[in-house]
Amino acid sequence: FEKEAGNYIRKTKDKLAGMLRTEAANLFLQARKIKDVDKRFEALIAALRLLQQINRDYPLNSIREKIEQNIEAVLKEIRAIDPAFED
């Protein structure tokens, strides 16, 4: 029973991580369409924070590597606006 419960919990956390990743991806795509630099920067920061939250809240998620790649992509866009950005 414990093993089944553990599997269910892991699958649920993976599903939540995936849903949040989709939300972050939508923010990222929206940000790329925004012409106002300040608003684009804000949307990119929101996407970055959400991606970081996923790996912080669900550290053993099965899409962690993909999320890390997404974080790097978002950071690249942020640094195109602010080269001195440190996270």
Side-chain angles (χ1 to χ4, degrees), residues 14-72:
D14 281 349
K15 186 172 183 174
L16 286 169
M19 290 169 56
L20 291 171
R21 181 175 174 249
T22 299
E23 186 178 332
N26 288 333
L27 283 170
F28 178 75
L29 293 173
Q30 288 173 7
R32 295 183 74 186
K33 296 177 184 177
I34 298 172
K35 296 192 186 310
D36 181 282
V37 175
D38 291 333
K39 289 182 181 180
R40 181 182 322 134
F41 187 80
E42 288 176 24
L44 289 168
I45 293 295
L48 176 65
R49 297 294 177 236
L50 188 52
L51 290 166
Q52 291 171 328
Q53 176 189 342
I54 297 166
N55 279 347
R56 187 175 49 252
D57 292 352
Y58 310 107
L60 301 177
N61 71 73
S62 65
I63 57 172
R64 185 175 183 84
E65 190 173 310
K66 289 180 183 179
I67 292 170
E68 290 297 330
Q69 292 170 357
N70 295 148
I71 288 171
E72 289 305 314

